[in-house]
Amino acid sequence: MECDRRATFVHGVYDAARNVNTELANVADWLPLTVILNGERFSMNRGTIEGYCRTLNMRNGLLTRTVHWRSPSGERATLIFERFASLAQPHLLCLRCRVCPEFEGTIEFRTGIEGHTDNLGVTHFNWVDQGVRDSTAFLRTRTRQSNIEIAYALQALLTSGKETERAYWDAECTPWIVVKAYAKPHEEIILDKRVTLYTSREVPADKVVLIAVDSLHTAPEWDAALEENEKAWNHDWERTDVLIEGDNDAQRALRFNIFELLIAAPRHDARVSIGAKTLSGFGYRGHVFWDTEIFMLPPFTLTYPDIARNLLEYRYGTLEGARQKARSNGFEGAQFAWESADTGEEVTPTWIPDTHDRVKLVRIWTGEIEIHISADIAYAVHQYWLATGDDKWMIEKGAELILDTAKFWGSRAEYNAKADRYEYNNVIGPDEYHDHVNNNAYTNEMARWNLRTAFEVLDWLRKVAPGQADSLISKLDLTPTRLAHWADVIEKMYVPMLESGLIEQFDGYFALKDVDLKSLDPRVHSAQHILGIDGVNKTQIIKQPDVLMLLFLLRNQYSDEIIRINYDYYTPRTDHAHGSSLGPAIQSIMACEVGEPVQAYTEFWRAARADLYDVRGNAGDGIHGASAGGVWQSVILGFAGLHISNEGWTMNSRLPHDWRRLAFKFFYHNSQVSVDLPLASAPSAVEPELATEGDRV
Amino acid sequence: MECDRRATFVHGVYDAARNVNTELANVADWLPLTVILNGERFSMNRGTIEGYCRTLNMRNGLLTRTVHWRSPSGERATLIFERFASLAQPHLLCLRCRVCPEFEGTIEFRTGIEGHTDNLGVTHFNWVDQGVRDSTAFLRTRTRQSNIEIAYALQALLTSGKETERAYWDAECTPWIVVKAYAKPHEEIILDKRVTLYTSREVPADKVVLIAVDSLHTAPEWDAALEENEKAWNHDWERTDVLIEGDNDAQRALRFNIFELLIAAPRHDARVSIGAKTLSGFGYRGHVFWDTEIFMLPPFTLTYPDIARNLLEYRYGTLEGARQKARSNGFEGAQFAWESADTGEEVTPTWIPDTHDRVKLVRIWTGEIEIHISADIAYAVHQYWLATGDDKWMIEKGAELILDTAKFWGSRAEYNAKADRYEYNNVIGPDEYHDHVNNNAYTNEMARWNLRTAFEVLDWLRKVAPGQADSLISKLDLTPTRLAHWADVIEKMYVPMLESGLIEQFDGYFALKDVDLKSLDPRVHSAQHILGIDGVNKTQIIKQPDVLMLLFLLRNQYSDEIIRINYDYYTPRTDHAHGSSLGPAIQSIMACEVGEPVQAYTEFWRAARADLYDVRGNAGDGIHGASAGGVWQSVILGFAGLHISNEGWTMNSRLPHDWRRLAFKFFYHNSQVSVDLPLASAPSAVEPELATEGDRV
């Protein structure tokens, strides 16, 4: 049987290993705690569980487990475990264990830091040092390849009950503290474990231990720590919460998705981003995809612009990696990695083993030809700028991102002399069921948008910051010849579209076999799984919106008629249920656009419950971060109909039938806008519970 | 800086993992020992090392390290660490630490079993259980994929000095025992650590802990354990030692190679073999190659037939894997894996990453087309039978190995109608500088030998064990048609040879570029490294004897003239110094055959010092087991000229110039033969020291 896969990830702590591309390393486990009641070791697998409850409080990130246990020898006790990673002090981790025995006897707590962790069997750390200072145990480890040092400091104290004995187990790489007490019946004994964690990414390597130990000495005790953590959470929920009345399930699921985004967001570090699986699992190895900019970023841009800026700054910081990638492919400018880790180098695996055939390998092409991500990043930069009016950042960093990606698109464009047009051939669009395609509409149009926007930004820059404009023109070598070439590409970029306004996803798509997806029902697998990689490639079945994704991002460029005709064509050909988890939220928004509320709600709900109900069966690999961001977008940009453009913001709400109220706040140019969309028949608001189940901290 | 790579391997404990083929798993580390003198932790990296000596006693496998240490605060002590893995009780591991302080104060020993080990970053174990029973700590772990359970029991006792305090650290997966004493100046304190290790391969999984703990309780103390270990070693050296007088360096190196073979040999388990790197390193992942049968087996066959039989029985036990491999390739019979682990399935990697290019992969073809191993195994079976006269085993198991490999060769032979001959095309011979070759002389001739021998064995079987003959004929489907086909293949097998008797290594070899190896001098890399894989493929440079290897194995089939002409042709074209480590010993034997004593000694010495002097710079990956076996062969089959054939044994010695005496024993048909080859001028024998340096237990 598969064991649980407890893991602790820290933003930016990447490491490579034998046969494994760079991945987010599973750092030491700070949770180990053994409780021994009158000599009997408590375990969920021993004695009798007479009651059990696990609660995640989404208001403050507190996870509580309550167990009523009868030991093998018949002694009863209630054990309550609570823990949280402080939002107020990001280096502080707190765990409390409350034991209330019905007997008289010893209560022994053994608690440690387990430095021997691995990523699904791959180890990333070497032991460096450990010891005890002023009743604080510490451990220092180092990643094997990237040489990041991490120090952990640990204290364990009884805050109710009297300590009768204490020991330190100095076992290598796994220091433990043992605390014993003697309890009378119904006397609650409380052990508070606090851990601090520092890495050489934020403090000097030779001071990690000192700083971890010192910061633990000055850190607040449990009650105060929990209080300041709650304050920090109140601050975050105040700006990010979305209230739904009339649909408690949707309310809970939406908050769960926002919660997952909030706990993964880097608030204090502009050198990291959020991986496709956030910080919650081993899936995709902590790598960063377009998922961040196109799906997760909008909620931050509109409710928490400081975080959005951090995320975009990660791309600015990895520009060198993107330039290196462009160069090594014979192009200019910045070609961002499809999968990005610490340096911005491409870390997409190139080959993965075929599980059925030891000689065969499956070639993963996304790292080489799913090139649209460079435009996606430029788009996100532009959206951030539109929404925040953060001209300072745009001048200092954003403009360079937009210009250097444009430079890539200019160099990557292929001139078709016969048709006197520019093309992008041999690519993968958002729909990954089809690879090595030519003239993917999404890619071509987003590239053109990127080039066009580069001109606008450059014009603007020349006006507001001519020095920076000159500097960038010189640094990026934006000669008149190059700019003239960009203009030519913009003018002659080819995007396949029928006279009716129906856009062809890529050259030859309409000639593919038009399989009715319903003919595969009933099914529990994706169309690709059923038909095979090559099989589905020959059909019009798509993994997720591709043309519709384009219409969603560049909504203003298209008439309602074009939206409608493309919606009608592509919707039945999309593998909503078993294709990409990125699809449903966008499909929901486009359904709102064409006035299909039932389809909109269906797809919203498909996205909203993805992880909370584990409907795709792979939540164990980690949260679907893009889906979480998409859920927020489907509510705010879809149902509420918020739209940000050069002209400002507009709203055009179309709420699901049962929703009686939708209320939220967003920031536009530094001002917070409160939106409350009550329907006439709405009863008085009763705020639904935030608490739900699930073991994610 | 690369740390040391301490590892403990147990025969048969294989496991697979993420992105890694099945490999010998590095089990728990039984060595951890920390000594704290008056509160100061002893470390080679702290204080002052005033004297240091490390000795491996090859007579009894005892490794001793002596350290004279001055602590940072100026206290002096002598620490002596001794350890051995008992040859008498293979589940028992013993470590003694003697501390003689020059001060008065506390001596603290902390010693544990570290269950968190990995194979170069890949973990193979999950924790199962641990605890303390009657002052014995135990740990139970399980391999992650192959579900092998291992239990370790640990005791630590003072056998000189008085214990003042004792503690058990029950840290998860790394149980420790702490023992403290108080010492007066020059009073020796001795800690004896004993560990037992059992796996579910030899005892029931649910009893591993019980048996490990119980066996530790009844195991002898240090002195008695060391004594019975020495007895066992005396027994082994008595039959395996080879005495050389007049060349102390050669004597020591030869014994070192024999020692390495002896410590890797499975004495109690016929389901395992010896990997290419014995049990001494991570290289080749504990996989078994032809190295075992052709290089390591002969010393066992002739001095320790029980071990040889165990090794061959491993192949018998993996026949199903070999049959599966043949079937999946469209052939019949038994096609043995080029790299074999627990089941006999092919475990050669198919692709390995190119370290210079993340998209490129290097295809490893040996698993598919280096097919000669099936004949090599049959050859070893036959040699064992010739030398031991073990008819019983031949009837029960050996015959089936020879017949079923013959069946493979019959089905694999390709009929060339135009030339009316049989061929084996698209293969790799022993010389791996050339792959995808046709009609490799070694492969074709060894296949023919295998088929021919199958007839002989079948005839013999029909006479001595007709029931078994019938049973095998039926089981292996040896129809008259099939046997007639074998006869046809034998008759018409093509082996490229010039009229002069010069054998062409494979079709077209003589047409390859004839590069003078001297033109690459001076060099420190292989010809393949210098010229590239494709480059060397186009030359006549070979990695190791290939035609000469054939002449060595089937010596009786060839005249002295043919040996000479081929020796003269291939010797200068062989990359002796930087090619395969399998080559020099065989080259040495063939030099003896043609009466070239200087070349014979040069190549013998190249092989003999490979690991002891780490001349290839990769002894850290593990001992070159084939070379070790080859060294023995070069002395016994080369210099002493022992030859075993159907007719019995012969000897034709041609000792190196300085050697004044060569003495050894071997078994022939259950009788031990003592050989003593003194030269007239030999002085009285002074037995050289067995002790040498090196940290290998």
Side-chain angles (χ1 to χ4, degrees):
Chain A
M1 236 184 55
E2 180 73 60
C3 304
D4 66 340
R5 298 191 294 190
R6 201 152 82 182
T8 307
F9 296 111
V10 178
H11 271 310
V13 179
Y14 283 103
D15 191 53
R18 176 182 174 195
N19 290 4
V20 174
N21 275 351
T22 297
E23 66 186 352
L24 216 45
N26 180 17
V27 304
D29 185 8
W30 65 283
L31 295 173
L33 172 65
T34 303
V35 183
I36 297 168
L37 305 174
N38 238 352
E40 293 184 286
R41 182 179 174 138
F42 164 70
S43 162
M44 295 293 285
N45 304 317
R46 300 180 60 215
T48 311
I49 306 299
E50 300 189 326
Y52 179 77
C53 176
R54 186 171 62 164
T55 312
L56 172 66
N57 185 342
M58 294 194 284
R59 272 195 207 288
N60 61 5
L62 184 71
L63 182 78
T64 305
R65 290 179 300 152
T66 305
V67 190
H68 300 286
W69 191 57
R70 202 177 68 217
S71 77
S73 79
E75 302 285 19
R76 280 194 167 84
T78 298
L79 297 98
I80 303 175
F81 300 89
E82 298 171 287
R83 66 180 198 240
F84 65 97
S86 174
L87 191 65
Q89 300 213 26
H91 298 278
L92 180 63
L93 306 160
C94 301
L95 188 155
R96 167 171 274 190
C97 178
R98 293 154 60 184
V99 179
C100 188
E102 294 185 13
F103 57 87
E104 176 169 341
T106 56
I107 311 289
E108 179 180 345
F109 300 95
R110 302 171 173 183
T111 191
I113 295 175
E114 176 53 86
H116 300 97
T117 49
D118 61 82
N119 283 50
L120 306 179
V122 174
T123 55
H124 286 294
F125 291 93
N126 282 324
W127 177 88
V128 178
D129 192 16
Q130 71 184 72
V132 178
R133 283 189 196 161
D134 307 333
S135 83
T136 300
F138 68 86
L139 169 67
R140 181 177 173 185
T141 62
R142 185 191 296 132
T143 55
R144 293 186 176 191
Q145 173 267 340
S146 56
N147 288 317
I148 299 170
E149 304 238 356
I150 308 193
Y152 310 84
L154 160 69
Q155 280 184 0
L157 280 174
L158 292 192
T159 50
S160 172
K162 194 174 163 322
E163 180 177 312
T164 57
E165 210 180 316
R166 165 173 288 258
Y168 293 93
W169 293 348
D170 201 20
E172 192 170 291
C173 210
T174 176
W176 285 68
I177 296 176
V178 179
V179 177
K180 288 188 192 173
Y182 193 83
K184 296 246 164 73
H186 306 291
E187 184 194 356
E188 192 176 56
I189 307 290
I190 300 181
L191 179 92
D192 284 345
K193 175 183 189 176
R194 294 177 314 147
V195 171
T196 51
L197 185 165
Y198 279 83
T199 86
S200 58
R201 293 186 68 259
E202 65 270 1
V203 300
D206 60 347
K207 294 214 167 54
V208 277
V209 167
L210 193 72
I211 292 172
V213 170
D214 284 357
S215 79
L216 188 50
H217 288 159
T218 59
E221 300 291 333
W222 175 274
D223 289 332
L226 186 58
E227 195 183 320
E228 63 174 34
N229 169 64
E230 273 176 345
K231 254 190 215 162
W233 272 104
N234 286 342
H235 167 268
D236 279 14
W237 277 119
E238 174 59 34
R239 50 170 63 199
T240 55
D241 190 31
V242 177
L243 184 75
I244 297 172
E245 283 180 15
D247 188 346
N248 280 350
D249 286 346
Q251 171 70 82
R252 188 171 70 157
L254 174 57
R255 280 179 172 150
F256 176 78
N257 281 290
I258 298 171
F259 176 82
E260 290 295 339
L261 292 174
L262 286 174
I263 63 172
R267 288 163 177 74
H268 310 277
D269 190 342
R271 294 169 297 152
V272 297
S273 186
I274 307 176
K277 296 291 185 185
T278 68
L279 288 173
S280 63
F282 293 102
Y284 296 119
R285 301 181 180 176
H287 293 175
V288 181
F289 296 67
W290 73 314
D291 301 41
T292 312
E293 280 74 15
I294 297 299
F295 295 85
M296 298 183 228
L297 200 84
F300 292 114
T301 297
L302 287 162
T303 68
Y304 221 136
D306 287 355
I307 291 176
R309 196 181 55 246
N310 277 347
L311 294 171
L312 291 171
E313 208 149 311
Y314 161 79
R315 296 296 190 178
Y316 184 81
T318 57
L319 262 172
E320 270 321 309
R323 287 173 179 138
Q324 175 50 40
K325 178 171 176 175
R327 266 198 305 277
S328 72
N329 290 337
F331 302 118
E332 301 173 333
Q335 179 182 13
F336 279 98
W338 179 247
E339 296 186 26
S340 182
D342 44 0
T343 64
E345 273 178 276
E346 184 59 73
V347 289
T348 305
T350 49
W351 297 91
I352 56 172
D354 185 317
T355 45
H356 303 296
D357 182 338
R358 55 186 300 280
V359 173
K360 256 204 204 147
L361 295 168
V362 178
R363 182 73 162 87
I364 305 296
W365 285 104
T366 49
E368 278 120 311
I369 62 173
E370 192 154 354
I371 59 175
H372 61 78
I373 187 168
S374 296
D376 303 330
I377 290 168
Y379 180 87
V381 167
H382 192 250
Q383 285 288 113
Y384 167 81
W385 183 43
L386 287 188
T388 63
D390 186 351
D391 291 348
K392 180 170 178 289
W393 190 82
M394 191 63 172
I395 292 167
E396 286 172 5
K397 296 179 174 164
E400 185 167 346
L401 280 163
I402 290 176
L403 291 167
D404 218 24
T405 45
K407 187 174 169 188
F408 162 70
W409 290 115
S411 75
R412 174 66 173 79
E414 300 156 68
Y415 183 63
N416 179 335
K418 205 170 135 196
D420 187 26
R421 68 189 191 200
Y422 286 93
E423 304 182 340
Y424 292 108
N425 295 318
N426 190 25
V427 304
I428 303 175
D431 156 38
E432 293 173 342
Y433 280 178
H434 299 90
D435 53 20
H436 298 287
V437 302
N438 296 336
N439 295 309
N440 167 248
Y442 179 93
T443 304
N444 289 18
E445 200 60 89
M446 289 297 290
R448 172 152 62 180
W449 173 91
N450 196 346
L451 288 161
R452 221 181 249 147
T453 305
F455 275 114
E456 288 169 19
V457 167
L458 193 55
D459 286 349
W460 172 79
L461 208 60
R462 279 177 169 135
K463 275 178 228 147
V464 302
Q468 174 71 349
D470 289 347
S471 152
L472 280 179
I473 286 167
S474 156
K475 178 180 178 185
L476 305 181
D477 192 30
L478 304 182
T479 59
T481 316
R482 186 185 306 283
L483 296 182
H485 174 62
W486 290 8
D488 202 39
V489 174
I490 291 167
E491 193 194 326
K492 297 178 181 165
M493 175 51 59
Y494 171 59
V495 178
M497 186 194 274
L498 302 187
E499 267 181 40
S500 62
L502 182 62
I503 297 170
E504 187 169 28
Q505 189 176 302
F506 51 80
D507 282 351
Y509 171 82
F510 290 140
L512 296 176
K513 197 170 162 198
D514 198 8
V515 173
D516 184 358
L517 257 172
K518 289 205 191 78
S519 69
L520 302 179
D521 288 340
R523 62 190 173 107
V524 292
H525 292 296
S526 71
Q528 185 176 56
H529 181 101
I530 294 167
L531 302 174
I533 290 174
D534 292 337
V536 80
N537 204 11
K538 294 188 181 115
T539 74
Q540 292 190 30
I541 298 172
I542 63 176
K543 187 180 176 188
Q544 68 190 85
D546 190 303
V547 168
L548 293 189
M549 188 79 212
L550 169 65
L551 304 187
F552 161 60
L553 293 182
L554 304 184
R555 179 66 185 88
N556 285 355
Q557 293 191 19
Y558 300 96
S559 69
D560 290 352
E561 289 68 34
I562 288 186
I563 302 290
R564 180 86 231 182
I565 193 169
N566 283 284
Y567 179 89
D568 286 346
Y569 191 84
Y570 285 104
T571 297
R573 289 167 176 82
T574 308
D575 194 358
H576 305 292
H578 303 288
S580 169
S581 65
L582 279 59
I586 305 305
Q587 186 69 33
S588 170
I589 297 171
M590 297 311 282
C592 286
E593 290 291 306
V594 296
E596 297 269 11
V598 174
Q599 164 91 357
Y601 189 79
T602 301
E603 297 304 332
F604 153 76
W605 188 233
R606 200 193 297 284
R609 58 205 290 275
D611 289 312
L612 193 54
Y613 297 76
D614 194 15
V615 292
R616 287 172 181 269
N618 61 357
D621 294 338
I623 289 294
H624 295 81
S627 179
V631 168
W632 183 93
Q633 294 190 58
S634 70
V635 172
I636 306 303
L637 311 187
F639 298 136
L642 177 64
H643 186 75
I644 310 285
S645 71
N646 290 344
E647 284 77 41
W649 63 269
T650 57
M651 190 136 359
N652 169 27
S653 71
R654 43 242 167 158
L655 301 193
H657 184 260
D658 292 337
W659 293 18
R660 291 193 299 274
R661 188 178 164 209
L662 176 65
F664 61 95
K665 295 171 182 164
F666 69 93
F667 280 93
Y668 182 79
H669 285 224
N670 272 326
S671 301
Q672 198 174 32
V673 181
S674 289
V675 178
D676 200 331
L677 303 169
L679 294 198
S681 61
S684 64
V686 181
E687 202 161 326
E689 277 302 300
L690 277 166
T692 186
E693 298 203 358
D695 187 355
R696 314 175 184 289
V697 168
Chain B
M1 235 183 57
E2 181 73 57
C3 304
D4 67 339
R5 297 192 293 190
R6 201 152 83 181
T8 308
F9 295 111
V10 177
H11 271 310
V13 178
Y14 283 103
D15 191 53
R18 177 183 174 194
N19 289 3
V20 174
N21 275 351
T22 297
E23 66 185 354
L24 217 45
N26 180 16
V27 304
D29 185 7
W30 66 281
L31 296 173
L33 172 64
T34 303
V35 184
I36 298 168
L37 305 175
N38 238 351
E40 292 183 287
R41 182 179 173 136
F42 163 71
S43 162
M44 296 293 286
N45 304 315
R46 300 180 61 214
T48 311
I49 306 299
E50 299 189 327
Y52 180 76
C53 176
R54 187 171 61 166
T55 313
L56 171 66
N57 185 341
M58 293 194 285
R59 270 194 207 288
N60 62 3
L62 184 72
L63 182 79
T64 304
R65 290 178 301 152
T66 305
V67 191
H68 301 286
W69 192 58
R70 202 177 67 216
S71 77
S73 79
E75 303 286 19
R76 280 195 167 84
T78 298
L79 297 97
I80 303 175
F81 301 88
E82 298 171 287
R83 66 178 198 244
F84 65 97
S86 173
L87 191 65
Q89 300 213 26
H91 298 277
L92 180 64
L93 306 160
C94 301
L95 188 155
R96 166 170 275 190
C97 177
R98 295 155 58 183
V99 179
C100 189
E102 293 184 14
F103 57 87
E104 175 169 343
T106 56
I107 311 290
E108 179 180 344
F109 300 94
R110 301 172 174 183
T111 192
I113 295 174
E114 176 55 88
H116 300 96
T117 49
D118 60 81
N119 283 51
L120 308 178
V122 174
T123 54
H124 285 293
F125 291 94
N126 282 324
W127 177 87
V128 178
D129 192 16
Q130 71 183 72
V132 178
R133 283 191 196 161
D134 308 332
S135 82
T136 300
F138 69 88
L139 169 66
R140 181 176 173 185
T141 62
R142 185 191 298 133
T143 55
R144 294 185 177 192
Q145 174 267 339
S146 55
N147 289 315
I148 298 171
E149 305 237 356
I150 308 193
Y152 310 83
L154 160 68
Q155 280 184 359
L157 280 173
L158 291 191
T159 50
S160 171
K162 194 174 159 329
E163 180 178 312
T164 58
E165 209 179 317
R166 165 173 289 257
Y168 294 92
W169 292 349
D170 201 20
E172 191 169 292
C173 210
T174 175
W176 285 67
I177 296 176
V178 180
V179 177
K180 288 189 192 173
Y182 194 84
K184 299 246 162 72
H186 307 293
E187 183 194 354
E188 192 175 55
I189 308 290
I190 300 181
L191 179 92
D192 284 344
K193 175 183 188 177
R194 294 178 312 149
V195 171
T196 50
L197 185 165
Y198 279 83
T199 85
S200 59
R201 292 186 69 258
E202 65 270 3
V203 299
D206 60 347
K207 296 215 166 50
V208 278
V209 167
L210 192 72
I211 292 172
V213 170
D214 283 356
S215 80
L216 188 49
H217 287 160
T218 58
E221 299 291 334
W222 175 273
D223 290 331
L226 186 59
E227 195 184 320
E228 63 173 33
N229 169 64
E230 275 177 343
K231 252 190 218 164
W233 271 104
N234 286 342
H235 167 268
D236 280 12
W237 278 119
E238 174 58 34
R239 51 172 61 198
T240 55
D241 191 30
V242 177
L243 184 76
I244 297 172
E245 283 181 16
D247 188 347
N248 280 350
D249 286 346
Q251 172 70 82
R252 188 170 71 158
L254 175 57
R255 282 181 172 149
F256 176 77
N257 282 291
I258 298 171
F259 176 81
E260 291 294 341
L261 290 175
L262 286 174
I263 64 171
R267 288 164 178 72
H268 310 278
D269 190 342
R271 292 169 299 153
V272 298
S273 185
I274 306 176
K277 296 291 186 185
T278 68
L279 289 174
S280 63
F282 293 102
Y284 297 117
R285 301 182 180 176
H287 293 175
V288 181
F289 296 66
W290 72 314
D291 302 40
T292 311
E293 280 75 15
I294 296 299
F295 295 85
M296 298 183 229
L297 202 84
F300 292 115
T301 296
L302 287 163
T303 68
Y304 221 134
D306 287 354
I307 291 176
R309 196 182 52 246
N310 278 348
L311 295 171
L312 291 171
E313 207 148 313
Y314 161 78
R315 296 297 190 179
Y316 184 80
T318 56
L319 262 172
E320 270 321 308
R323 287 173 180 141
Q324 174 52 39
K325 179 171 176 176
R327 265 198 305 278
S328 72
N329 290 338
F331 303 118
E332 299 173 334
Q335 179 182 14
F336 278 97
W338 179 247
E339 296 187 25
S340 183
D342 43 0
T343 63
E345 272 177 279
E346 184 58 74
V347 289
T348 306
T350 49
W351 298 90
I352 56 171
D354 184 317
T355 45
H356 303 296
D357 183 338
R358 57 186 298 282
V359 174
K360 255 203 205 147
L361 296 168
V362 178
R363 182 72 161 87
I364 305 297
W365 285 105
T366 49
E368 278 120 311
I369 61 173
E370 191 153 353
I371 59 175
H372 62 78
I373 186 169
S374 296
D376 303 331
I377 290 168
Y379 180 87
V381 167
H382 191 249
Q383 286 288 112
Y384 167 80
W385 182 42
L386 286 187
T388 63
D390 186 351
D391 291 348
K392 180 170 178 292
W393 190 83
M394 192 62 171
I395 292 167
E396 285 171 7
K397 298 180 174 164
E400 186 167 347
L401 282 162
I402 290 176
L403 291 169
D404 218 24
T405 46
K407 188 174 169 189
F408 163 69
W409 290 115
S411 74
R412 174 67 174 78
E414 299 156 70
Y415 183 64
N416 180 334
K418 206 171 134 194
D420 187 27
R421 69 190 189 199
Y422 286 94
E423 305 182 339
Y424 292 107
N425 294 318
N426 190 26
V427 304
I428 303 176
D431 157 38
E432 293 172 344
Y433 280 177
H434 300 90
D435 53 21
H436 298 287
V437 303
N438 296 337
N439 294 310
N440 168 249
Y442 179 92
T443 303
N444 289 17
E445 201 60 90
M446 289 297 289
R448 172 153 60 182
W449 173 90
N450 197 343
L451 287 162
R452 220 181 249 146
T453 305
F455 274 114
E456 289 169 20
V457 166
L458 192 55
D459 287 348
W460 172 79
L461 207 59
R462 280 177 168 135
K463 273 177 229 145
V464 302
Q468 174 71 349
D470 288 348
S471 152
L472 281 179
I473 286 167
S474 156
K475 178 179 179 185
L476 306 181
D477 193 30
L478 304 182
T479 59
T481 317
R482 187 186 307 283
L483 296 182
H485 174 62
W486 290 7
D488 202 40
V489 174
I490 291 168
E491 191 192 329
K492 298 178 182 165
M493 176 51 58
Y494 171 59
V495 179
M497 187 194 273
L498 302 187
E499 268 182 39
S500 62
L502 184 61
I503 297 170
E504 187 169 28
Q505 190 176 303
F506 52 81
D507 283 350
Y509 171 83
F510 290 140
L512 295 177
K513 199 170 161 195
D514 198 9
V515 174
D516 184 358
L517 256 172
K518 289 207 190 75
S519 69
L520 303 179
D521 288 342
R523 62 188 173 110
V524 292
H525 291 296
S526 72
Q528 185 176 57
H529 181 101
I530 294 168
L531 304 173
I533 290 175
D534 292 336
V536 81
N537 203 11
K538 294 190 181 109
T539 75
Q540 292 190 29
I541 298 172
I542 63 177
K543 187 180 177 188
Q544 70 191 83
D546 190 304
V547 168
L548 293 190
M549 187 79 212
L550 169 66
L551 304 187
F552 162 59
L553 293 182
L554 303 184
R555 177 68 185 86
N556 285 356
Q557 293 190 20
Y558 300 96
S559 69
D560 289 352
E561 290 68 33
I562 288 186
I563 303 289
R564 180 86 232 181
I565 193 170
N566 283 284
Y567 179 90
D568 286 346
Y569 191 84
Y570 286 105
T571 296
R573 290 168 175 82
T574 307
D575 194 357
H576 304 292
H578 303 289
S580 171
S581 65
L582 278 57
I586 305 304
Q587 186 69 36
S588 170
I589 297 171
M590 295 312 283
C592 287
E593 289 292 305
V594 296
E596 297 270 11
V598 175
Q599 164 90 357
Y601 189 80
T602 301
E603 297 304 333
F604 152 76
W605 188 232
R606 201 193 297 285
R609 59 205 289 273
D611 289 312
L612 193 54
Y613 297 77
D614 194 15
V615 291
R616 289 173 179 267
N618 62 357
D621 294 336
I623 289 295
H624 294 80
S627 179
V631 168
W632 184 93
Q633 293 189 59
S634 71
V635 173
I636 307 303
L637 311 186
F639 299 137
L642 177 63
H643 186 75
I644 311 283
S645 71
N646 290 343
E647 284 77 44
W649 64 268
T650 57
M651 191 138 0
N652 168 28
S653 71
R654 43 245 165 154
L655 301 194
H657 183 261
D658 291 338
W659 292 17
R660 291 192 301 275
R661 185 176 167 212
L662 175 65
F664 61 93
K665 295 172 182 162
F666 70 93
F667 280 93
Y668 182 78
H669 285 223
N670 274 324
S671 301
Q672 197 173 33
V673 180
S674 288
V675 178
D676 200 332
L677 303 169
L679 293 199
S681 62
S684 64
V686 180
E687 202 161 328
E689 275 301 299
L690 277 166
T692 185
E693 297 202 0
D695 187 354
R696 312 177 188 287
V697 168

